[in-house]
Structure formats: C-alpha cells, structure tokens
Amino acid sequence: MGTLGQIVFCSMITLIIIFGAAIILILALSFSGKLSEVSSNDVTPVANLGEDELLSCYLNSQVQPARFRDVSVTWEKKGLRDPVYRYLDGAPSLADQAPLFKGRTQLFPDALVAGNASLLLRSVRQSDAGEYTCSISSSGGSGKVKVQLRTAAFSVPIFKFTNGVLVAEAPRWFPEPRVTWVDFFGAVLNGSTSLVKNSAGIFQVVSRLQPINFSEIYICRIQNDLVTARSQETVTDSGVKGNTYFTFSAASSLLASTHLSIMTSVLCIYYLT
Ligand SMILES: *[C@@H]1O[C@H](CO)[C@@H](O)[C@H](O)[C@H]1NC(C)=O
Ligand SMILES: *[C@@H]1O[C@H](CO)[C@@H](O)[C@H](O)[C@H]1NC(C)=O
Ligand SMILES: *[C@@H]1O[C@H](CO)[C@@H](O)[C@H](O)[C@H]1NC(C)=O
C-alpha cells in the first residue's frame, strides 16, 4: 500500500502523460489533415482534342461522407487573369469568367456538397493545355491542388487483312506519331506507314505490314510523346482479332521538378549527417 502522497504523485504523473498524449494526437491529426486536404485523382491528365475532360479536384476529409456548408471553389489557369470557373456562396459566379471558357465548363452540385470540385471541360482545344489550380474552401476544410493538362489527339486503330497485307488505320493522332511493328518476341518488323495531315493539323495514320503468318501475334505501337496505343493482333481465317490499350506519359516538367526536390532532400540529409 502506498502512502497518500505516493498515490497523488502517481495520479498526477498519469494525468500529465494522458494530457501529453492527447495533445500530440490532436496535433498529429490536424497536421495530417493540413497536408492532404485537397487532392486530384490525376494531376497530369492528357485530354483528347474535341472531347470532354474531367479535371479532378476534391477535399480529402476525415469525416466523409459529409455535407459541407459554405463551399467555395475557384479554378484558375496559369497566365489568365480571369478565373476559369468560380463558385461562391452556393452558386456559380461567372461574371468575370475568362472568355475562352464561357459555356464550356461546369461543376457537379451534388458532388460539390461532398467536397468534390472536379471541373468538366467540354470539347477540349489545344489552347486549353496548361497549369490549372483548383482552390476549395468550406466548413470541412480548404486547400488547393495543381493540375497540369496536356492535349493530344488519339484514336484506336482498326485492323484489316486484305491481299496478304495487315493494315492498321487510325483517323486522328496529334502530335505526329511514329508507328512500330514487332512480333511476339519483340523483333522489329518491316512495316510501312503513311501519315496524312488534315487542315486542323491532325494526322491520319495508315500502316501496312507484310508478309503475315496466320495465327501469329503481331504488335503495332502508335506513339508520340504523350500517348502510346499498343495493339496486339492475330490474323485468322475469320479475320483479324485483337485489342488495343492506351498509356499516357507523365508530364516531363513535373517529373523534372520532383527529381529536383528529391535530389535537394538527399543533399540536405547528406549535409545534416
Ligand atoms: C467527383 O465528381 C465527378 C462528377 O460527378 C465524378 O466523376 C468523380 O468520380 C468524383 N470524384 C471523386 C473523387 O469522388
Ligand atoms: C519492306 O517492305 C517493303 C514494302 O512494304 C518492301 O518493298 C521491302 O523490300 C521490305 N524490306 C525488307 C527488308 O523486307
Ligand atoms: C512467319 O513464318 C516464317 C516461316 O515459318 C518464319 O520464319 C517467320 O519468323 C514467321 N514470322 C513471324 C512474325 O512470326
């Protein structure tokens, strides 16, 4: 049995430890919230010219799914004085919207109350490429995220087999793509490609490959600096069968800055130790 003094002393120590832990927990929670309050599913999207593109931006809240009050959103584009889109006090506020974006943008009111301020940009043009900043402020938190939009044209090639020649045709590619054919083992094959540029500067791609072995796998890659379409095709008696999938390159400027900051931190660690 401890004396009264010892019990009081122990209780006080315990209380101090509990308070200390609580303060550290509160600090940690608020700090981690601050670090990642606004995010984007894709900070380097590649939009297909003429099609609609969703620029992703949302509030990362610990209390999802919540309905936030007082949500305000501003989408800005680097180099433009006027906003791309603004939403204030529960309504769009577009009096000073940049003329380029008039009638081509919208937010989603249902998503907005849950902290999702993703912007739909209709019928993307080349001039839409650039750096956008999405800023959200609401009762559930606030912050901003940068989204680097690149523009390209890309389309799925259609394959035909006629007179012993496997032909790939893709109507829309930009910037100028190059086409490579390889066999299943990656050996380069002798394809011949023609590119025809239309008045809008978009390339039509026609590429031919011969000779062809039935039931053999042929891979056709159409690519430029932003987009790669990889098609894997097989010619059989009943026609050409295969599939195509697209991959998009990461933005080189963003990558360069990430490399730089990683290098800087490595240098700092080096100097500190
Ligand atoms: C945000 O809303 C858009 C439009 O409704 C939706 O397509 C997208 O998936 C949502 N994103 C998130 C992270 O909820
Ligand atoms: C490559 O294909 C072209 C026709 O598409 C043909 O004229 C040429 O001889 C071929 N070259 C080789 C090395 O097979
Ligand atoms: C097509 O068949 C010939 C003869 O069997 C073979 O030499 C050649 O490698 C085959 N081509 C491919 C792309 O598999």
Side-chain angles (χ1 to χ4, degrees):
M1 277 295 280
T3 64
L4 188 63
Q6 278 173 322
I7 293 173
V8 169
F9 181 75
C10 286
S11 312
M12 280 177 66
I13 295 288
T14 312
L15 276 180
I16 288 170
I17 290 174
I18 289 175
F19 274 122
I23 287 169
I24 289 172
L25 191 68
I26 289 167
L27 281 180
L29 278 181
S30 60
F31 191 60
S32 68
K34 285 268 151 31
L35 274 182
S36 58
E37 275 194 331
V38 170
S39 335
S40 174
N41 283 343
D42 188 357
V43 292
T44 59
V46 176
N48 205 345
L49 289 169
E51 294 184 6
D52 299 349
E53 181 73 15
L54 187 75
L55 303 185
S56 161
C57 170
Y58 56 90
L59 205 54
N60 252 333
S61 174
Q62 262 104 22
V63 287
Q64 293 266 29
R67 293 182 71 82
F68 299 127
R69 285 165 291 108
D70 314 321
V71 182
S72 292
V73 177
T74 308
W75 276 93
E76 288 162 300
K77 183 168 186 269
K78 196 173 175 178
L80 287 186
R81 189 174 43 96
D82 296 325
V84 172
Y85 199 97
R86 209 200 303 268
Y87 187 94
L88 281 179
D89 305 324
S93 162
L94 301 175
D96 62 347
Q97 186 182 30
L100 267 175
F101 293 98
K102 283 224 188 307
R104 300 176 53 223
T105 46
Q106 74 167 85
L107 299 187
F108 298 86
D110 292 346
L112 205 53
V113 289
N116 178 346
S118 298
L119 179 82
L120 183 71
L121 181 55
R122 285 204 202 81
S123 185
V124 169
R125 309 165 183 174
Q126 271 180 50
S127 55
D128 293 335
E131 184 181 296
Y132 292 74
T133 304
C134 166
S135 315
I136 307 179
S137 79
S138 80
S139 60
S142 57
K144 45 178 75 179
V145 67
K146 282 186 177 17
V147 174
Q148 180 88 34
L149 178 69
R150 282 98 38 87
T151 58
F154 46 96
S155 52
V156 177
I158 307 294
F159 290 85
K160 277 180 271 181
F161 185 66
T162 42
N163 302 324
V165 185
L166 180 57
V167 184
E169 271 189 55
R172 302 173 58 253
W173 274 83
F174 183 85
E176 182 171 337
R178 52 193 181 281
V179 180
T180 327
W181 293 88
V182 297
D183 69 11
F184 181 70
F185 302 101
V188 176
L189 303 172
N190 176 31
S192 76
T193 299
S194 75
L195 299 173
V196 179
K197 201 200 256 191
N198 72 13
S199 56
I202 308 289
F203 293 89
Q204 187 202 17
V205 180
V206 179
S207 189
R208 295 180 171 79
L209 183 72
Q210 62 176 326
I212 293 293
N213 299 345
F214 274 33
S215 306
E216 208 87 66
I217 287 172
Y218 293 94
I219 292 153
C220 174
R221 231 179 357 246
I222 307 177
Q223 71 186 113
N224 56 32
D225 290 344
L226 298 173
V227 188
T228 300
R230 182 186 184 279
S231 309
Q232 180 166 323
E233 306 294 320
T234 305
V235 183
T236 65
D237 293 331
S238 51
V240 188
K241 286 201 190 67
N243 54 63
T244 296
Y245 64 85
F246 290 103
T247 50
F248 302 96
S249 76
S252 47
S253 61
L254 286 190
L255 271 187
S257 65
T258 316
H259 278 305
L260 199 64
S261 64
I262 288 173
M263 269 184 54
T264 318
S265 1
V266 168
L267 281 179
C268 290
I269 290 166
Y270 185 76
Y271 277 114
L272 286 173
T273 51

